[in-house]
């Protein structure tokens, strides 16, 4: 059994006994068998010493139990790594950044405290899943939609705090957060925003409160344990339709992205766009990469093939939610705007009126998510590896930036001799209104040598991205220090600022040490 | 000449000399004549000792000068009260929460660093005004709109950090902030979000960065001096139209607000709504109040008068921005939804196609702001007093909450014997998607006794609002402690949390002491 750093077995046993007194013995996990469930099945450190291994897990059911656990952890200086529910695959699962941490597992706190379909928000605990919330809304016949993450077993609270994305107009999950309850490192309960009014009527309807707006510092952080969250929801639309726009030439991507950014920021296109390239997919089918790599056919040749095989260079499915007459007008206008690009083609897609038209079993995962229906379809994407690490750099929302990224990552793939097929979502998505995100999956294996190599690739991707001004929005626990180190402006002043906050509000460093590269004083190593 | 608390005249003179060495003598202000310009012309403490009086002002022109000023301020423990540009009328103008503070006036930092009309953002310094930004966009013929505050001489940076509101779909001004540069209390320069990447290509396109999202703690706070801000802008729409919806009966407000919240959160109605009541305006013209007060005619009688005089009980102008075919469909659908309320009436309003249709001189202030055109028309509203204090509580976005507010504030007006005419915007607006805000103006005078009474009224309004679960979103410097004290959950844990952060990042307490009720350790009084 691994121990928390610096703790004797005796003290740890005493602490676990005290945890047991708080939550009952069925909710403290200390056997290898139980604890291994919290390790990362996709770990890049399979069978290596650096694999992150928890010392135990404790699953409280309520704020008061958490307060007591935090006080015990302070007494013994035990690091608590908080998880909500779901799997967090690709980002480290429930495994901590620091081996020997005790997992604070909040899955039992799974109460849906409110769903309001007059002003469109929900209030949830950490252990509520997208499935739970969806079912609750269905059962109560409420006039709201959720925006599920992929996959649907995830926690709306956990995903929002990790700043995950979805498919609908509400896909900026942290952007939809309104009002938190947080257990601080000293065991006190903080309510943010309007929740600080004792009789608040607007805790989960108005975000900012009075004075500093602090909610953001509890996202991707180790500054507190969030036990309750307000989340804005979307009114159930009357109808849905989608349609595809394709353009033929390589350089058409420049005006394509300009028109997209215009329409998106005018609230005419309102959801996530997954950029596609039927022509580059053809190139992939010929054993090449989506990226630009040496030996690729020149653009003119590709365009010729595209013409011959009727494969457009760029394409995207656009989704519309709302009243039929409005979404029809939006799609008409979208076509008009893109028709300014010579050769642009259009095709109508699905069209649903709710609640009658929709047959869930006939709809693929992407569209289910866009219809607010949580699912597990994303797992169909995983091939030829034992797992993956999510690598998700943000780039500008322009065609020029996409071209540059295809070139930069192509050079990197060439230099590293990577298999061109090692690609997950090699063209970017639009989780955000003015930037794009790539969602690469770097493979992991039950093979030490392969993992070693892929870890180096991951670090190289961080470095090369940073050199081009692109940063990751989120990362795997094993790479949090590396990603944080890329944010190095002015001698790492942001990290030092975060450390100052951390030391002030968690002086014993008990909450999730190492999260997002933030270490408490006693565990801080010298980093260049 | 007033001195900073605890400072000798000799030390203060020495400090001012050092400020002078940094910025030049024309940019250090110490005569009463100059310093009085920073005082509040609308002060609720006219001719009283508690009036907030600065000791001096210093106006740097750049980050390095600010860094030097901050270092000098640390040496002498001089409080620096930062202001950007504009007047901040109703909220204390440029006057500090602590008399004897030195105003750090950033008006000289008025560079527009970038306006991007491909991905729709601007990058501004604190001294840039809405007028400046508007002119810049016009001169460069850029395809973007701004969302000005009332009035247009304000600072987009200052207003966003105060979390002000506007009229267009981009009216949540803090919500549009993306990426800050901040001089910290120790003189170091922090860049937030993606700005922490040294070669960032996405500082002002993606908000959250990696790790804790810290931007919020620099809003309404004294945690740093913001010297640069990214601000999302709206693509210039092709057209604008507006239309009015009216409903006849008192109780119609319930479905009216439900339909409004549905349409607003479906992105069909996209701007600020100012709720109106032609019938209650008639009541006001008869010497009564908008609020419910004793002696008011009963609802049935009012409804009868409304019918007779053709005055609807509730009414609102809805604005639409975008492509003609889309906004026409949105207005059609809006009418359909409200037509479900028996007796609802509709009238078409203005209709513009840009850039040709619009004649600025013919358009009133509200609509100018809704067209992204900064102006000073708001000053037409001020009557019968020498100034006002903004009082702005947030309430839920429901008819029930509005009824309750009219009753609660009516009882308060009755109890205090207030003039029913003492009303500014006595029906709420929708700066935010799931809550409403009242914008009252409590009068101030060049009269000590009247001010004394109105200060008590102001405090009473804070208290009564809090008892009903409603909190102010922003307040005047003279009432920051009182408003902060209403946010008292769990023995003022939010304030204590903010104080912990403050002491950690500004140990000498030099930055804007008292801002939002946050005092540094050395100036903290015991508050119950």
């Amino acid at each position: 059994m691994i121990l928390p750093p610096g703790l004797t077995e005796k003290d740890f046993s005493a602490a676990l006994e005290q945890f047991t007194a708080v939550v009952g013995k069925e909710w403290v996990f200390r056997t290898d068998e139980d604890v291994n469930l919290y390790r990362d099945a996709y770990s890049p450190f399979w069978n290596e010493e650096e694999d992150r291994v928890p010392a135990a897990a404790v699953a409280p059911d309520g704020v008061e139990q958490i307060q007591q656990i935090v006080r015990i952890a302070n007494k013994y200086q035990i690091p608590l790594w908080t998880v909500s529910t779901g799997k967090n695959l690709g980002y480290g699962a429930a495994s901590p950044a620091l081996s020997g941490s005790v997992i604070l597992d909040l899955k039992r706190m799974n109460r849906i405290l409110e769903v309001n379909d007059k002003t469109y928000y929900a209030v949830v605990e950490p252990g509520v899943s997208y499935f739970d919330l969806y079912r609750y809304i269905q059962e109560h016949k409420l006039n709201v939609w959720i925006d599920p993450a992929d996959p649907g077993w995830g926690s709306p609270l956990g995903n929002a705090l990790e700043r995950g994305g979805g498919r609908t107009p509400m896909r900026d999950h942290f952007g939809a957060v309104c009002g938190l309850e947080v257990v601080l490192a000293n065991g006190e309960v903080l309510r943010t925003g309007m929740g600080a009014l004792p009789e608040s009527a607007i805790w989960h309807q108005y975000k900012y409160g009075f004075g500093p707006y602090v909610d953001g510092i509890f996202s991707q952080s180790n500054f507190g344990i969030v036990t309750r969250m307000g989340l804005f929801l979307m009114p159930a639309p009357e109808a849905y339709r989608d349609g595809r726009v394709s353009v033929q030439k390589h350089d058409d991507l420049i005006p394509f992205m300009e028109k997209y950014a215009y329409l998106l920021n005018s609230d005419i296109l309102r959801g996530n766009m997954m950029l596609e390239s039927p022509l580059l997919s053809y190139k992939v089918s010929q054993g090449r990469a989506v990226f630009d790599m040496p030996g690729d056919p020149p653009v003119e040749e590709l365009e010729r093939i595209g013409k011959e095989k009727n494969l457009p260079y760029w394409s995207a499915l656009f989704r519309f939610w709302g009243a039929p007459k409005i979404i029809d007008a939006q799609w008409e206008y979208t076509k008009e705007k893109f028709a300014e690009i010579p050769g642009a083609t259009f095709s109508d897609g699905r069209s649903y009126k709710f609640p009658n038209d929709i047959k869930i079993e006939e709809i693929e995962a992407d569209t289910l998510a866009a219809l607010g229906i949580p699912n597990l379809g994303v797992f169909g994407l995983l091939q030829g590896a034992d797992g993956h690490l999510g690598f998700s750099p943000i780039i500008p929302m322009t065609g020029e930036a996409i071209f540059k990224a295809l070139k930069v990552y192509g050079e990197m793939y060439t230099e590293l001799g990577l298999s061109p097929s090692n690609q997950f979502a090699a063209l970017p998505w639009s989780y955000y209104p003015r930037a794009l995100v790539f969602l690469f999956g770097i493979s992991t294996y039950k093979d030490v040598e392969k993992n070693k190599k892929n870890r180096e690739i991951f670090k190289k991707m961080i470095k090369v991205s940073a050199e081009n001004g692109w940063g990751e929005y989120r990362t795997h626990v094993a790479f949090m220090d590396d990603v944080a180190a890329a944010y190095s402006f002015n001698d790492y002043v942001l990290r030092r600022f975060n450390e100052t906050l951390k030391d002030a509000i968690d002086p014993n460093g008990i909450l999730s040490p190492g999260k997002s590269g933030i270490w408490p004083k006693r565990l801080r190593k010298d980093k260049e």
Side-chain angles (χ1 to χ4, degrees), chain A:
Chain A
M1 189 170 89
I2 187 169
L3 291 169
L7 226 67
T8 63
E9 198 158 334
K10 183 164 163 259
D11 278 352
F12 189 48
S13 288
L16 289 178
E17 268 171 42
Q18 293 175 32
F19 289 153
T20 303
V22 173
V23 298
K25 73 173 183 320
E26 67 275 42
W27 299 113
V28 176
F29 306 99
R30 55 195 305 191
T31 66
D32 283 352
E33 193 185 350
D34 285 339
V35 168
N36 281 343
L37 294 174
Y38 292 95
R39 292 173 66 174
D40 183 11
Y42 290 5
S43 173
F45 290 107
W46 177 84
N47 238 358
E48 293 183 72
E49 207 182 315
E50 296 92 331
D51 199 16
R52 271 60 171 173
V53 184
V58 53
D61 186 23
V63 168
E64 282 178 27
Q65 290 188 1
I66 295 175
Q67 292 180 280
Q68 293 179 58
I69 289 167
V70 161
R71 290 185 184 119
I72 297 163
N74 267 301
K75 194 164 77 182
Y76 291 95
Q77 303 217 330
I78 293 173
L80 297 172
W81 183 266
T82 305
V83 301
S84 52
T85 193
K87 304 283 183 185
N88 199 29
L89 292 170
Y91 295 107
S95 74
L98 175 70
S99 280
S101 297
V102 170
I103 306 300
L104 184 68
D105 181 347
L106 304 184
K107 68 177 166 220
R108 294 173 67 202
M109 294 179 63
N110 62 353
R111 283 161 285 252
I112 294 167
L113 300 169
E114 185 182 359
V115 177
N116 186 312
D117 72 345
K118 296 288 185 287
T119 48
Y120 308 105
Y121 64 89
V123 186
V124 291
E125 291 187 337
V128 172
S129 72
Y130 289 103
F131 286 126
D132 295 336
L133 188 53
Y134 178 76
R135 269 188 223 111
Y136 180 97
I137 290 166
Q138 296 296 306
E139 277 166 19
H140 293 78
K141 299 188 195 314
L142 299 171
N143 191 37
V144 285
W145 276 23
I146 63 168
D147 184 298
D150 316 326
W153 57 36
S155 158
L157 184 148
N159 190 275
L161 291 182
E162 290 300 310
R163 303 198 296 253
R167 314 298 176 109
T168 81
M170 300 300 288
R171 70 199 177 285
D172 173 0
H173 291 173
F174 182 77
V177 169
C178 184
L180 303 178
E181 180 177 77
V182 184
V183 176
L184 298 175
N186 64 5
E188 283 205 282
V189 177
L190 176 79
R191 291 182 173 177
T192 70
M194 291 301 185
L197 288 171
E199 307 293 327
S200 185
I202 43 179
W203 186 5
H204 303 297
Q205 291 110 302
Y206 176 71
K207 284 183 188 185
Y208 302 134
F210 178 75
Y213 166 51
V214 300
D215 292 33
I217 67 171
F218 297 107
S219 68
Q220 290 193 2
S221 93
N222 48 17
F223 294 167
I225 299 163
V226 178
T227 53
R228 168 183 170 139
M229 184 183 84
L231 183 71
F232 288 167
L233 301 176
M234 172 176 163
E238 288 182 17
Y240 166 92
R241 68 176 298 169
D242 56 36
R244 178 169 292 280
V245 176
S246 302
V247 293
Q248 310 311 315
K249 289 173 184 296
H250 176 269
D251 290 355
D252 289 344
L253 187 62
I254 306 283
F256 183 95
M257 288 307 303
E258 284 183 12
K259 286 169 199 307
Y260 175 67
Y262 178 85
L263 293 164
L264 180 69
N265 287 296
S266 301
D267 294 340
I268 294 167
L269 293 176
R270 295 164 63 227
N272 182 49
M273 176 187 77
M274 300 156 74
L275 183 65
E276 298 169 56
S277 171
L279 188 47
L280 294 179
S281 293
Y282 169 78
K283 194 176 81 159
V284 170
S285 77
Q286 304 296 301
R288 307 207 58 83
V290 168
F291 307 128
D292 298 344
M293 290 177 74
D296 272 359
V299 163
E300 301 70 33
E301 171 66 9
L302 273 175
E303 287 177 346
R304 195 196 55 73
I305 294 169
K307 202 164 184 179
E308 188 186 295
K309 300 193 178 289
N310 200 22
L311 295 171
Y313 217 117
W314 308 107
S315 179
L317 186 75
F318 296 123
R319 305 178 187 276
F320 302 87
W321 299 259
K325 70 170 66 174
I326 295 172
I327 64 179
D328 290 352
Q330 288 171 331
W331 174 225
E332 279 306 310
Y333 183 71
T334 298
K335 287 190 280 188
E336 278 173 31
K337 289 299 277 187
F338 282 105
E340 294 165 8
I341 303 171
T345 61
F346 307 97
S347 60
D348 287 357
R350 305 167 196 77
S351 177
Y352 301 124
K353 291 207 174 61
F354 303 113
N356 296 328
D357 280 5
I358 182 170
K359 291 196 182 60
I360 288 182
E361 58 286 1
E362 293 173 5
I363 302 172
E364 85 287 11
D366 277 343
T367 297
L368 280 179
L371 296 170
I373 301 169
N375 64 86
L376 297 173
V378 69
F379 292 101
L381 297 175
L382 207 65
Q383 290 164 355
D386 298 315
H388 69 273
L389 308 171
F391 180 80
S392 319
I394 307 272
I395 70 162
M397 188 176 274
T398 63
E400 290 88 343
I402 296 169
F403 288 151
K404 190 173 169 188
L406 294 179
K407 198 161 168 294
V408 164
Y409 293 119
E411 280 166 10
M412 218 197 63
Y413 266 59
T414 307
E415 185 193 325
L416 298 172
L418 293 182
S419 155
S421 71
N422 185 11
Q423 291 157 28
F424 188 63
L427 292 172
W429 294 11
S430 65
Y431 278 167
Y432 312 102
R434 285 157 184 87
L436 299 171
V437 59
F438 279 94
L439 300 161
F440 297 116
I442 309 294
S443 298
T444 58
Y445 299 91
K446 304 279 184 237
D447 180 310
V448 172
E449 284 313 308
K450 280 186 181 172
N451 283 340
K452 237 173 223 174
K453 191 177 154 207
N454 277 1
R455 292 200 303 265
E456 288 315 306
I457 289 167
F458 198 95
K459 290 184 184 181
K460 177 89 183 174
M461 290 189 86
I462 295 168
K463 189 167 167 285
V464 167
S465 301
E467 283 165 4
N468 284 280
W470 309 323
E472 267 207 290
Y473 91 96
R474 180 183 183 187
T475 202
H476 187 282
V477 289
F479 296 94
M480 287 180 169
D481 286 340
D482 299 293
V483 169
Y487 292 79
S488 64
F489 171 76
N490 190 15
D491 193 23
Y492 305 89
V493 61
L494 180 59
R495 192 177 66 203
R496 289 185 287 114
F497 181 77
N498 284 330
E499 288 169 350
T500 302
L501 300 185
K502 178 70 176 170
D503 292 342
I505 59 184
D506 181 12
N508 292 322
I510 57 159
L511 299 186
S512 299
K515 176 77 183 175
S516 297
I518 302 167
W519 293 92
K521 197 160 200 164
R522 71 183 171 101
L523 295 166
R524 208 169 290 150
K525 304 139 208 159
D526 261 341
K527 305 190 193 71
E528 23 82 84

